[in-house]
Amino acid sequence: MDAAQNLPVAVIGAGPVGLAAAAHLLERGLEPLILEAGTTAGAAIDQWRHIRLFSPWRFNLDAAAVRLLESAGWEAPRPTALPYGGELVDNYLAPLAGLPEIASRLQTGARVVAVTRAGMDKTRTRNRDTTPFTVRVEHADGETRDHTVAAVIDASGTWSRRNPLGTSGLPAIGENTAADRISAPLPDVTGRDRAAFAGRRVLVVGAGHSAANTLTSLADLTREEPETRILWAVRGASAAKVYGGGDADGLPARGQLGGRVRRLVEAGKIELHTGFGISSLKSLDSHVTVEAADGRTLEADVVVPCTGFRPDLDILREIRLELDPAVEAPRELGPLIDPEFHSCGTVPPHGARLLAHPDRDFYIVGMKSYGRAPTFLLATGYEQVRSVVAALAGDREAADTVQLELPETGVCSTDAGSSCDVPAAATAASPDAGCCSAPEPVLVGFPTGLSHGRSGGN
């Protein structure tokens, strides 16, 4: 940062972690340039605004962001209330993005397509650490422009890159051709997207809480649209991992979600197919035929892919990265978050030192920093950016002093096969807004019960 101290710091993504990074940069006297591909801040969360989070408001808010908001007279939501995704956007992210300090530095409709060192590809070494970065951006006005920045904080998340339906990390044969029969990962089946699901045969694929959310919403839809048929395919030998810890779960809403899915399966409302590793999809005029590796087939009108997400690394091809070969997280962080060995409650606190890459002053934070691991917590992301910004400001002591309490809770364990970071379905089964006040970190994201893109049961 010393050689480029008059240049801004690029923050890729204006979600909760990206805006938190911007708030911390402002507190440190550094200039953020916030680049958001969507039309508004929190655009990814806005796509699941109908989903209610497991944890209360007081764990949704970054400290630096709150200080900035409160200086403008903002009043925090009731700390014990459980917000919907839409409320997280409307009552927190939108007001934060609307502050003059943030709005003047936020560019929406700005999709980053590449990051590199100015005038250097990744093979060049001499003077690399003191050379600014170039961030190439496709802007909403149709122009592509290069922005010169002192450092880069990539908080772009993983929402745009879902894992494929196939069993080998690749799309199933015919998956791309059948794209018009495949929905978004968390569709609003009882609201905005109702017409696509009402009275249809719906196949939900996945063994985690994203699947559970969709299954319970579909069950609600069948009350008014009884012709709707719910199919559920999991790769593992059972769905026990989705059912989770029930009453033992430290977050009651999460335990209730798994318990409700179990009851729906036992009552025959959901047709469960276990050991169903998808090998191919055949798109027909009226439906799609989904075939498993063992030859079994299911016919559906629409498929919901609850298979997890992976980071978009294409934009970073000219950056010198060190990534864990399994989970695609920063190399030193990878073994600490590997879902085959760790849950969100056993991941130690970490900051700039563990997130660093060979290219100095470049960091991946938030959900993207966890690569394919589904164990990310929003509280972790906030601590990450606090530490990273301290490092960029030259305050190594603050950067290295990382503190975060991540207690074990119910299904948040390795033998549960899933992570803690999924919102709960906004159904009648959800608890009252004030009932879920256990001292847990906020849970954001869409855990799938998958390890490295595989079913936890395999």
Side-chain angles (χ1 to χ4, degrees), residues 440-451:
E440 309 298 338
V442 66
L443 316 171
V444 169
F446 314 102
T448 62
L450 304 182
S451 302

Side-chain angles (χ1 to χ4, degrees), residues 222-263:
T222 61
R223 296 173 185 169
E224 298 180 4
E225 303 286 349
E227 297 301 313
T228 306
R229 182 181 171 195
I230 309 172
L231 309 173
W232 181 22
V234 300
R235 198 176 306 171
S238 80
K241 295 176 176 64
V242 182
Y243 302 150
D247 293 340
D249 198 307
L251 291 174
R254 189 175 57 210
Q256 290 179 10
L257 177 62
R260 186 178 180 210
V261 173
R262 180 197 293 271
R263 291 189 297 273

Side-chain angles (χ1 to χ4, degrees), residues 74-306:
W74 175 80
E75 293 186 9
R78 184 161 57 90
T80 56
L82 297 174
Y84 290 90
E87 292 175 320
L88 187 65
V89 173
D90 298 342
N91 299 337
Y92 173 53
L93 298 180
L96 180 59
L99 294 175
E101 299 93 325
I102 298 292
S104 61
R105 298 165 169 93
L106 170 62
Q107 297 185 20
T108 57
R111 181 174 299 277
V112 174
V113 295
V115 182
T116 187
R117 290 283 186 177
M120 293 184 172
D121 64 20
K122 71 191 304 179
T123 68
R124 294 278 302 279
T125 299
R126 180 173 297 180
N127 300 323
R128 190 171 187 88
D129 284 352
T130 58
T131 300
F133 292 87
T134 294
V135 180
R136 179 159 292 179
V137 181
E138 292 180 351
H139 289 272
D141 59 9
E143 291 190 8
T144 298
R145 296 192 285 275
D146 287 342
H147 299 262
T148 303
V149 298
V152 178
I153 300 175
D154 185 351
S156 57
T158 58
W159 173 258
S160 64
R161 288 289 182 103
R162 69 163 178 86
N163 286 324
L165 295 169
T167 59
S168 302
L170 302 175
I173 295 173
E175 181 172 341
N176 295 333
T177 304
D180 60 345
R181 294 281 178 182
I182 301 173
S183 78
L186 271 175
D188 186 1
V189 301
T190 60
R192 178 189 59 213
D193 305 314
R194 180 189 182 103
F197 296 92
R200 314 292 290 280
R201 293 168 297 179
V202 184
L203 173 60
V204 177
V205 180
H209 294 93
S210 290
N213 276 299
T214 301
L215 291 165
T216 55
S217 294
L218 285 166
D220 291 338
L221 179 63
T222 61
R223 296 173 185 169
E224 298 180 4
E225 303 286 349
E227 297 301 313
T228 306
R229 182 181 171 195
I230 309 172
L231 309 173
W232 181 22
V234 300
R235 198 176 306 171
S238 80
K241 295 176 176 64
V242 182
Y243 302 150
D247 293 340
D249 198 307
L251 291 174
R254 189 175 57 210
Q256 290 179 10
L257 177 62
R260 186 178 180 210
V261 173
R262 180 197 293 271
R263 291 189 297 273
L264 288 167
V265 171
E266 292 174 346
K269 303 293 186 182
I270 296 173
E271 184 180 313
L272 173 62
H273 298 266
T274 59
F276 200 95
I278 296 176
S279 62
S280 67
L281 288 84
K282 184 177 181 181
S283 188
L284 304 174
D285 290 341
S286 60
H287 65 281
V288 62
T289 299
V290 182
E291 183 172 356
D294 61 9
R296 286 179 292 160
T297 61
L298 295 172
E299 294 186 346
D301 299 306
V302 60
V303 179
V304 183
C306 300

Side-chain angles (χ1 to χ4, degrees), residues 378-390:
L378 185 53
T380 300
Y382 290 155
E383 180 63 5
Q384 285 178 343
V385 296
R386 185 208 60 77
S387 173
V388 163
V389 171

Side-chain angles (χ1 to χ4, degrees), residues 17-29:
V17 176
L19 291 183
H24 283 277
L25 287 166
L26 289 170
E27 282 197 339
R28 289 279 185 172

